[in-house]
Amino acid sequence: MEFAELIKTPRVDNVVLHRPFYPAVEGTLCLTGHHLILSSRQDNTEELWLLHSNIDAIDKRFVGSLGTIIIKCKDFRIIQLDIPGMEECLNIASSIETSEWRLSYVNKEFAVCPSYPPIVIVPKSIDDEALRKVATFRHGGRFPVLSYYHQKNGMVIMRSGQPLTGTNGRRCKEDEKLINATLRVGKRGYVIDTRSLNVAQQARAKGGGFEQEAHYPQWRRIHKSIERYHILQESLIKLVEACNDQTHNMDRWLSKLEASNWLTHIKEILTTACLAAQCIDREGASVLIHGTEGTDSTLQVTSLAQIILEPRSRTIRGFEALIEREWLQAGHPFQQRCAQSAYCNTKQKWEAPVFLLFLDCVWQILRQFPCSFEFNENFLIMLFEHAYASQFGTFLGNSESERCKLKLQQKTMSLWSWVNQPSELSKYTNPLFEANNLVIWPSVAPQSLPLWEGIFLRWNRSSKYLDEAYEEMVNIIEYNKELQAKVNILRRQLAELETEDGMQESP
Amino acid sequence: MEHIRTTKVEQVKLLDRFSTSNKSLTGTLYLTATHLLFIDSHQKETWILHHHIASVEKLALTTSGCPLVIQCKNFRIVHFIVPRERDCHDIYNSLLQLSKQAKYEDLYAFSYNPKQNDSERLQGWQLIDLAEEYKRMGVPNSHWELSDANREYKICETYPRELYVPWTASKPIIVGSSKFRSKGRFPVLSYYHQDKKAAICRCSQPLSGFSARCMEDEHLLQAISKANPVNRYMYVVDTRPKLNAMANRAAGKGYENEDNYSSIRFQFVGIENIHVMRSSLQKLLEVNGTKGLSVSDFYSGLESSGWLRHIKAIMDAAIFLAKAIMVENASVLVHCSDGWDRTSQVCSLGSLLLDSYYRTIKGFMVLIEKDWISFGHKFSERCGHLDGDPKEVSPVFTQFLECVWHLTEQFPQAFEFNEAFLLQIHEHIHSCQFGNFLGNCQKEREELKLKEKTYSLWPFLLEDQKKYLNPLYSSKSHRFIVLEPNTVSFNFKFWRNMYHQFDRTLHPRQSVFNIIMNMNEQNKQLEKDIKDLESKIKQHKNKQTDDILTKELLHSVHPESPTLKTSLCFKEQTLLPVNDSLRTIEGSSPADNRYSEYAEEFSKSEPAVVSLEYGVARMTC
């Protein structure tokens, strides 16, 4: 990748440069492939030419929408740039920041970790040899990799499998080094273990375990308890059964809904995701997330945290990319988890509605922030359907390596290529969407987490009136756009007439 | 004012009700004759009407001060911490006095002055005219007539003066029947379905005991069923559980014996009494008030409170009425014990299902005026307006509003009004700011001279109607389109916006409803703008042709009219703010910041971080 490709904002006007011994200069800031240039665009005034390679460190500060970047150079010089506009400032900063991450092809043949994709992002300072060692210390070879980079403050979410400490407290220096490499000097990070302390301790007997404080002194561990496998599957079976029985009286319905525990799982997953997002955005700390294998609850948490933190993941393309990255490439075993659904009597061991729970959580956030998502509920329902049964290859197999072996790219169609056709896309577009660049914090109180009727009551009650109301809403929005456009045209017309008048009237 | 010893206390903390980390706002507390006011450091004001206060509690002294917990009838709960115990004690005592008045004349309505003159006030009271309403239904007609039997409240004190009865029911029959009914509340017309010629009638329980009969009462019921030319049998719906009705027989009351009445079909529908409803709501509120509530405690609490079961029972009863009329073309007589609680719920809700007029803003006011106010639902006792018997307090009307809300959820386009309208009405049944809901029956209201001394709520709501319009309402619907709600249990949901109205942290941050509502308003404005612009363009075009003509004729130059230009600029500016208001996300005060609730661990150690970024709450999109 060329460096120039990283430049999102090549030019900003009205930037003020502060240097020692010189008065402040206002001018235009330009980024080229090699230099940072400031020009006041007046003759005979000095200009700043700074090699990117001369930058040692940068700091960012914001006062309102005015951003300040302090550049500390390798020759000990320190200069300051005041950049109007938060977005511009962030873009400039991220372009000149020297990346601490690299792409690793260590898993090219799927030999190091069968459930990982061929290319992963890891700390720059860790070489492939170290990664191989770390892989032997993590469940399923799932060594810590980058899941999300928070542009605002450079904090990251990493994910992995559990460390294989076992009962005798095995350790792995490379593992410690790897995750410490992601920390800034003097900063602590958080390990979010999606299992309760009890479960994590029990895992040691089977060779698993968790990060011991003694070996990871810069990390604070938080245990949450997100349920797994058959517990989730049973929850789904109970919920669907409760929803399907129309004869239940009120008490029975409520007690069955409660006993299904579905919404308890939703609350637990969302809370953990919010916690991870909070660590990143509010505490300014990086996070490592794992459970046991790192293919289920881990992915629920990392992907939901991104929905909360990253506006792009709330767009259609961004959400598709999120699923591609955090579910498909990250090795969520769709084939196993979605083999059977709520009605099957012959229970196998591996089914679990992990992905459906994730979609339900997204729906909950969508419900609380109905204007912050580019897609609507139907998009989530469609993904649910395709995860369980699909004419497309996208959700087949349990990992990238399986999909490669099956030659799915050659033999099947991708769901995304179908969905992204304009005619299909229009069904899934949220008419209320207004892009916002903010972190969105959902409420996780039980009073704020209703049952997802669009999925669970879909075949049990008519949604005729609700659908009609939705259509009416769309009509109002469309009509609004039409009127706005018409007003604009008429205004222009009138303005033209007025200038014509003026011209005619002036002698 | 004699109850107020301390009018202002500084450095008072307002705790966040659901915060597990004791988040709080500091500000100043003021006590006025009518309100309690808290102004926090962000200058955000919280007003609490004394009449809204259901209970005040002083908790044990803590190191930071003296906690004062105030529970309101509109489900607001505030938790103050007053630094000095003495101040807390003064405020506590004042609120105790101010929130419980002994006399009607001390209620807010008697001092509230919205700056209207007497004729405006009177007009306000005349806005809802029940005689008009009966005319709209199609009575009087060949089967139903206005009876003057109760003109002087001689037969029944808790009924209105004007009552409609079958024309065949003579005065002796009415008098006889009223003596056989609890509190003299004999069967009268509540709603007449013009299309089906069937009626909903209402009364109280018969004084039948184990075997008593009353010929006049039997006659009156027969007259009602004969007033329906299509179907000769009618339903008698006893809204109580059968067991309760049977127990009443021992006290000389009870229910109709099918054998004694020709052509009736008797039916129990099993709605519980006011005491059960009161404690059910209490349980519900207890559960919801819990900090850090788990999902399973929420649902098991919801279940054990029985609240939604009661709501469903009321809804089912109303559906029974609507079906009897629509499917069987049969008239229905509804009663409970005294016929002013459950009977009002079921009759009004039944009418609302049958007649789309009641689903409009004005129609809903009429419905409340008819089946609740005029037929003597004891608002003052049920809402505890005065310091009275706490056992008479019961959320009967609240349940009615909740049933309507459930209907609006199932039929989003059937109602002209929105949720805010229901919440506003609920606010005012307790506020005692307007005269409508004061007193327990029409006779009492006349004695209080409410129409002279207080104002009616309805014109104020109507004036503000923009706020209460449902943007999705489809008014095309025919008058007699019946709503057939689905009452399978899963359709009943907890009404968060009522019971957590003031707990903004629990609400969605963006409201689809408000956006669509604003957009609808904006569309109207845009339509107007387009008309304006089009006429201006036309003017200009005409002027240009005129100009050419005049120029050719006179060779003179006219200066351009300056008014045109300024008005255009002005228009362009007005469009923008409307747009902006669409973009703001609800609940944008710092107090709503909820992120710290996901884990307690942080907020303790680093409170500075918490206050850093209110950007979340203040975000725009």
Side-chain angles (χ1 to χ4, degrees), chain A residues 190 248 255 275 278 282-283 368-372 438 441-443 447-448 479-480 491 501 504-505, chain B residues 303 489 500 506 509-510 515 522-523 527 540 544 551 557 572 594-595 598-599 602 606 609 616 619:
Chain A
Y190 289 90
H248 285 328
S255 83
L275 178 70
Q278 190 182 344
R282 299 306 174 97
E283 302 295 313
Q368 295 190 28
F369 296 88
C371 310
S372 299
L438 296 147
W441 301 106
S443 161
Q447 295 97 318
S448 313
Y479 185 49
N480 183 265
R491 284 217 171 113
D501 272 10
Q504 280 176 10
E505 280 158 16
Chain B
E303 182 202 332
S489 299
H500 290 297
L506 300 183
R509 284 307 175 90
Q510 298 165 320
I515 290 164
Q522 198 195 25
N523 285 355
E527 280 170 352
H540 263 275
Q544 277 182 1
K551 256 187 197 168
V557 175
E572 270 178 348
R594 58 183 160 205
Y595 87 90
Y598 307 126
F602 299 123
E606 293 182 61
V609 189
V616 180
M619 69 201 239

Side-chain angles (χ1 to χ4, degrees), chain B residues 25-160:
Chain B
L25 289 166
T26 307
T28 308
L29 194 66
Y30 298 89
L31 215 52
T32 76
T34 52
H35 289 84
L36 175 91
L37 167 63
F38 178 77
I39 304 181
D40 67 28
S41 50
H42 304 278
Q43 299 306 314
K44 194 183 150 234
E45 295 174 3
T46 307
W47 290 84
I48 295 170
L49 191 63
H50 296 325
H51 295 317
H52 269 144
I53 295 175
S55 76
V56 198
E57 218 181 329
K58 220 174 70 168
L59 305 183
L61 197 66
T62 67
T63 46
S64 51
C66 189
L68 189 68
V69 180
I70 300 171
Q71 295 203 36
C72 299
K73 292 170 182 172
N74 55 8
F75 309 117
R76 188 203 282 273
I77 294 181
V78 286
H79 194 149
F80 289 118
I81 296 195
V82 184
R84 294 195 324 165
E85 195 186 4
R86 158 116 219 122
D87 290 334
C88 186
H89 192 72
D90 282 351
I91 290 173
Y92 172 75
N93 278 332
S94 301
L95 289 179
L96 275 190
Q97 302 287 334
L98 292 165
S99 63
K100 291 268 176 245
Q101 301 295 350
K103 302 196 302 282
Y104 281 114
E105 284 77 9
D106 292 332
L107 295 174
Y108 188 25
F110 289 88
S111 60
Y112 174 65
N113 181 4
K115 309 233 162 26
Q116 281 192 347
N117 62 33
D118 287 353
S119 79
E120 284 171 314
R121 183 210 313 251
L122 194 64
Q123 264 177 16
W125 280 111
Q126 284 162 348
L127 184 73
I128 307 291
D129 179 355
L130 288 184
E132 270 304 308
E133 168 56 11
Y134 285 102
K135 227 186 266 169
R136 188 196 66 88
M137 287 181 205
V139 288
N141 58 27
S142 53
H143 296 289
W144 294 89
E145 63 170 23
L146 178 64
S147 157
D148 60 1
N150 202 39
R151 187 123 307 206
E152 307 300 327
Y153 297 117
K154 280 205 178 115
I155 295 178
C156 174
E157 291 202 331
T158 58
Y159 265 173

Side-chain angles (χ1 to χ4, degrees), chain B residues 423-438:
Chain B
L423 295 177
Q424 192 64 14
I425 292 173
H426 185 259
E427 185 86 2
H428 283 296
I429 61 166
H430 294 110
S431 73
C432 304
Q433 187 175 353
F434 297 94
N436 307 59
F437 303 107
L438 300 188

Side-chain angles (χ1 to χ4, degrees), chain B residues 309-493:
Chain B
R309 174 160 47 87
H310 301 316
I311 297 292
K312 175 169 152 61
I314 297 164
M315 195 81 103
D316 279 329
I319 292 169
F320 182 88
L321 256 62
K323 274 201 180 142
I325 288 182
M326 289 313 290
V327 180
E328 297 183 48
N329 221 119
S331 292
V332 194
L333 174 66
V334 183
H335 70 74
C336 45
S337 297
D338 291 322
W340 50 44
D341 293 309
R342 291 167 272 200
T343 302
S344 292
Q345 288 176 329
V346 173
C347 288
S348 55
L349 211 55
S351 316
L352 183 105
L353 293 176
L354 289 164
D355 193 332
S356 66
Y357 174 65
Y358 297 129
R359 296 170 224 148
T360 64
I361 288 189
K362 178 86 185 286
F364 194 63
M365 294 172 179
V366 168
L367 184 66
I368 292 174
E369 197 70 43
K370 174 170 71 77
D371 271 315
W372 293 87
I373 297 174
S374 93
F375 275 119
H377 172 67
K378 303 200 284 177
F379 274 105
S380 272
E381 288 196 355
R382 296 292 176 260
C383 301
H385 290 160
L386 297 178
D387 195 9
D389 183 358
K391 287 214 170 73
E392 286 291 327
V393 176
S394 187
V396 176
F397 188 74
T398 307
Q399 289 182 317
F400 163 68
L401 292 178
E402 180 161 339
C403 288
V404 176
W405 173 76
H406 272 105
L407 291 172
T408 65
E409 284 286 290
Q410 280 196 37
F411 305 96
Q413 295 190 272
F415 291 81
E416 190 190 15
F417 51 83
N418 60 24
E419 189 182 40
F421 186 61
L422 300 174
L423 295 177
Q424 192 64 14
I425 292 173
H426 185 259
E427 185 86 2
H428 283 296
I429 61 166
H430 294 110
S431 73
C432 304
Q433 187 175 353
F434 297 94
N436 307 59
F437 303 107
L438 300 188
N440 293 308
C441 60
Q442 294 297 55
K443 183 167 180 264
E444 201 177 352
R445 288 187 191 101
E446 285 174 19
E447 285 162 4
L448 287 168
K449 297 198 177 13
L450 290 177
K451 291 193 179 175
E452 287 139 67
K453 294 182 176 170
T454 71
Y455 294 85
S456 166
L457 168 67
W458 307 128
F460 292 90
L461 291 184
L462 222 47
E463 203 173 298
D464 260 0
Q465 83 168 279
K466 259 189 195 170
K467 279 195 226 162
Y468 307 125
L469 284 175
N470 171 11
L472 303 178
Y473 178 54
S474 124
S475 51
K476 330 181 251 301
S477 68
H478 183 260
R479 179 176 157 204
F480 290 122
I481 286 193
V482 185
L483 298 187
E484 295 174 63
N486 179 338
T487 59
V488 176
S489 299
F490 56 57
N491 286 297
F492 292 87
K493 290 168 286 187

Side-chain angles (χ1 to χ4, degrees), chain A residues 238-263 450-453 456-457 460, chain B residues 299-300 302-303 308-309 312 406 487-494:
Chain A
K238 278 188 195 162
L239 177 65
V240 172
E241 194 198 308
C243 292
N244 282 357
D245 194 337
Q246 312 235 349
T247 63
H248 285 328
N249 65 28
M250 188 62 70
D251 290 0
R252 190 145 177 78
W253 156 247
L254 289 172
S255 83
K256 286 210 148 194
L257 180 61
E258 187 229 316
S260 80
N261 271 328
W262 184 263
L263 290 165
L451 176 72
W452 188 6
E453 296 179 16
F456 297 108
L457 300 182
N460 295 321
Chain B
Y299 282 103
S300 60
L302 200 56
E303 182 202 332
L308 290 178
R309 174 160 47 87
K312 175 169 152 61
H406 272 105
T487 59
V488 176
S489 299
F490 56 57
N491 286 297
F492 292 87
K493 290 168 286 187
F494 172 68

Side-chain angles (χ1 to χ4, degrees), chain A residues 211-361:
Chain A
E211 293 79 0
Q212 302 279 350
E213 286 86 349
H215 303 151
Y216 298 85
Q218 286 164 278
W219 294 82
R220 195 169 142 195
R221 214 176 57 243
I222 301 174
H223 288 275
K224 287 296 204 178
S225 59
I226 299 180
E227 293 292 352
R228 300 157 30 90
Y229 303 136
H230 65 277
I231 294 184
L232 299 181
Q233 189 67 12
E234 267 163 33
S235 172
L236 177 68
I237 291 170
K238 278 188 195 162
L239 177 65
V240 172
E241 194 198 308
C243 292
N244 282 357
D245 194 337
Q246 312 235 349
T247 63
H248 285 328
N249 65 28
M250 188 62 70
D251 290 0
R252 190 145 177 78
W253 156 247
L254 289 172
S255 83
K256 286 210 148 194
L257 180 61
E258 187 229 316
S260 80
N261 271 328
W262 184 263
L263 290 165
T264 301
H265 302 316
I266 295 287
K267 181 173 155 75
E268 202 55 55
I269 296 165
L270 265 179
T271 306
T272 311
C274 288
L275 178 70
Q278 190 182 344
C279 290
I280 298 281
D281 191 67
R282 299 306 174 97
E283 302 295 313
S286 286
V287 191
L288 170 67
I289 297 167
H290 68 74
T292 305
E293 295 87 354
T295 55
D296 296 282
S297 57
T298 304
L299 304 182
Q300 289 173 331
V301 175
T302 57
S303 52
L304 286 167
Q306 292 180 52
I307 296 276
I308 294 166
L309 292 167
E310 170 63 73
R312 208 187 118 66
S313 66
R314 294 172 226 143
T315 63
I316 289 179
R317 299 299 170 110
F319 191 69
E320 289 171 359
L322 181 77
I323 287 174
E324 189 65 38
R325 223 172 45 236
E326 289 301 304
W327 290 88
L328 294 163
Q329 305 246 350
H332 175 66
F334 277 98
Q335 194 82 42
Q336 286 178 349
R337 298 291 178 265
C338 302
Q340 300 291 347
S341 179
Y343 295 137
C344 186
N345 290 322
T346 57
K347 270 175 238 159
Q348 280 147 32
K349 207 174 154 191
W350 304 115
E351 288 99 12
V354 176
F355 187 63
L356 177 58
L357 278 161
F358 159 71
L359 294 176
D360 195 333
C361 289

